């Protein structure tokens, strides 16, 4: 539009860049997690990869991981089926969370020590257009409708002493218990 001033063009270009940056990051992670079979972060679609080691500065597929946190998760396609998130009883002295977001970084699902406590939990995540039959055992707040059919789930679990082999084994066991 020739009626726009150079400063208005610059302003709109900045808005477009920041508006689209999240989607580009989401699709980059989707590609790494679901298509790059030789990459260490590969897990396939609709699968959680239980990570039992701390990330270093060498990992480049996600932004700034915390050096005292185990991260796991995956990319999920909810077009044809729902997914179930199960968590075991977690220790009271440990931060943990499971969160789900769509490609616009709209987080619609939060469970964990700061949100729902440490007792065993189960949730059914369904896509926005899903019309299937609910499996038995799920009711009310255990049924979560996603904001998109493509979602990323991230698990975070605090490591209390990264230098302790015993602590890393305990933390790894806890991460593997969240499915």
């Amino acid at each position: 539009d020739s009626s726009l001033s150079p400063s208005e063009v610059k302003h709109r270009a900045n808005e477009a860049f920041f508006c689209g940056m999240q989607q580009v990051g989401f699709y980059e992670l989707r590609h790494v997690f679901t298509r790059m079979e030789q990459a260490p972060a590969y897990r396939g679609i609709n699968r959680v990869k239980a990570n039992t080691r701390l990330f270093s500065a060498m990992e480049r597929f996600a932004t700034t991981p915390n050096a005292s946190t185990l991260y796991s998760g995956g990319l999920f396609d909810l077009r044809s089926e729902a997914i179930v998130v199960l968590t075991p009883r977690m220790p009271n002295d440990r931060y943990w969370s499971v969160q789900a977001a769509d490609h616009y970084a709209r987080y619609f699902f939060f469970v964990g020590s700061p949100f729902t406590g440490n007792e065993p939990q189960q949730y059914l995540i369904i896509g926005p257009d899903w019309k299937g039959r609910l499996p038995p055992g799920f009711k009310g707040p255990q049924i979560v409708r996603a904001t998109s059919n493509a979602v990323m789930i991230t698990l975070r679990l605090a490591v209390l002493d990264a230098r302790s082999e015993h602590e890393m084994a305990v933390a790894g066991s806890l991460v593997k218990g969240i499915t």
Side-chain angles (χ1 to χ4, degrees):
D1 185 344
S2 60
S3 70
L4 295 175
S5 70
S7 66
E8 182 64 18
V9 169
K10 182 179 179 179
H11 174 73
R12 289 185 182 192
N14 280 337
E15 284 184 337
F17 174 81
F18 287 111
C19 179
M21 192 167 71
Q22 174 59 40
Q23 291 84 6
V24 170
F26 180 88
Y27 286 109
E28 176 189 19
L29 278 176
R30 183 181 179 130
H31 179 77
V32 170
F33 286 172
T34 66
R35 298 284 186 232
M36 295 180 64
E37 293 184 29
Q38 304 307 316
Y42 176 80
R43 59 210 58 203
I45 192 90
N46 295 343
R47 290 188 216 121
V48 171
K49 180 179 181 180
N51 180 42
T52 59
R53 69 173 186 79
L54 296 170
F55 287 157
S56 71
M58 298 304 294
E59 275 75 26
R60 299 286 186 211
F61 60 87
T63 55
T64 320
N66 186 321
S68 61
T69 304
L70 292 181
Y71 292 87
S72 292
L75 266 290
F76 294 84
D77 182 343
L78 303 174
R79 286 179 293 185
S80 62
E81 63 183 356
I83 59 170
V84 175
V85 176
L86 300 172
T87 69
R89 168 89 178 89
M90 299 296 273
N92 288 330
D93 64 344
R94 187 180 303 267
Y95 172 88
W96 69 279
S97 68
V98 179
Q99 300 171 349
D102 66 15
H103 55 288
Y104 292 106
R106 292 182 296 207
Y107 283 84
F108 61 88
F109 177 71
F110 299 85
V111 298
S113 56
F115 312 112
T116 56
N118 295 319
E119 295 303 316
Q121 299 170 47
Q122 67 175 18
Y123 298 90
L124 182 71
I125 300 178
I126 58 177
D129 305 317
W130 189 80
K131 293 174 180 48
R133 290 183 59 137
L134 295 173
F138 292 92
K139 56 187 176 228
Q142 294 174 312
I143 303 165
V144 178
R145 189 169 295 272
T147 54
S148 170
N149 283 316
V151 300
M152 179 171 36
I153 293 182
T154 304
L155 159 67
R156 294 172 179 89
L157 182 105
V159 172
L160 304 178
D161 181 359
R163 293 183 182 94
S164 165
E165 287 183 35
H166 174 72
E167 164 59 13
M168 290 305 294
V170 168
S173 177
L174 292 170
V175 164
K176 289 178 184 176
I178 299 173
T179 59

